[in-house]
Amino acid sequence: MTHTDRMADHWWWRPGWGPGARFLTFHFTFRRSGRLHRLAADYRRALADVEGLDVVPDESLHLTIQGLDFVDRVPKDDLSAILAAARQRLASVPAFDLVVDRPEITPEAIRWEASPSGPPAAVRTALRAAIGTSWHTVPEPADGFRPHITIAYSNADGPAAPVRAALDTVKAEPTTVRVDQVELIVLHRDRKMYEWEAHTRLPLGG
């Protein structure tokens, strides 16, 4: 588990963000993943009484893959071309299973590091190649990708010890999550939670 002694507020406004901002990004979403929901429920119960946390409901569980840009900065023709190229490339990326076990504590979030990391990275590589067919510069660094699913965000500065103690009370077994598609979503964080509307679902290969 990542060692951190202090928590920090996750919800500060990053550059370009603010109330009403809407961002196009590719995510794995888990609204149909009953196994993950059951595991998340165990951790939500444990973390419920820890001050300074916003626990993530089932409908907001996600794994961030690759961002595009704010909606008003993405021409419709570019988006259509990117999605067509992505659909073609993802057809050769097989569906896969991810394993989630004990969450790690980072200063701004408590999150599962999903494994193996190779299949999500392959999806990201395909998406970046698709974006590159329309844009000279692909957003976000190519390196440093760590696939993860957040179960709670920190909303205040404070000690990490209560979080660690709460996590230690959970005796849940690891669980497996099936991933057979990636979604382009329209994301916002107006209510101190990542919420979205689905834009386009792109299936992975069989």
Side-chain angles (χ1 to χ4, degrees), residues 56-206:
V56 179
D58 288 339
E59 62 269 19
S60 293
L61 293 168
H62 65 277
L63 193 158
T64 303
I65 297 295
Q66 173 67 44
L68 272 180
D69 205 337
F70 293 99
V71 170
D72 58 356
R73 298 180 185 172
V74 181
K76 290 183 179 179
D77 288 347
D78 287 5
L79 184 57
S80 295
I82 288 168
L83 289 172
R87 191 179 300 275
Q88 182 179 28
R89 283 165 170 76
L90 291 169
S92 62
V93 178
F96 56 88
D97 291 331
L98 288 176
V99 176
V100 291
D101 192 359
R102 303 291 299 176
E104 295 189 349
I105 304 172
T106 69
E108 295 186 8
I110 297 96
R111 67 193 206 183
W112 292 293
E113 300 292 323
S115 63
S117 61
V123 172
R124 188 170 191 260
T125 296
L127 290 172
R128 290 180 64 83
I131 296 167
T133 63
S134 292
W135 292 353
H136 293 300
T137 301
V138 177
E140 303 179 354
D143 298 331
F145 175 63
R146 293 184 63 188
H148 61 272
I149 304 167
T150 296
I151 184 59
Y153 293 99
S154 174
N155 62 33
D157 297 340
V163 177
R164 187 169 291 106
L167 294 179
D168 286 345
T169 67
V170 180
K171 306 303 181 186
E173 296 294 321
T175 197
T176 301
V177 181
R178 186 67 175 171
V179 177
D180 58 12
Q181 65 179 12
V182 61
E183 288 190 63
L184 179 68
I185 62 174
V186 182
L187 182 74
H188 73 84
R189 40 164 294 183
D190 293 347
R191 301 189 294 180
K192 291 192 173 183
M193 185 57 59
Y194 290 108
E195 300 173 291
W196 60 82
E197 296 178 2
H199 186 288
T200 304
R201 294 179 174 89
L202 298 172
L204 303 184

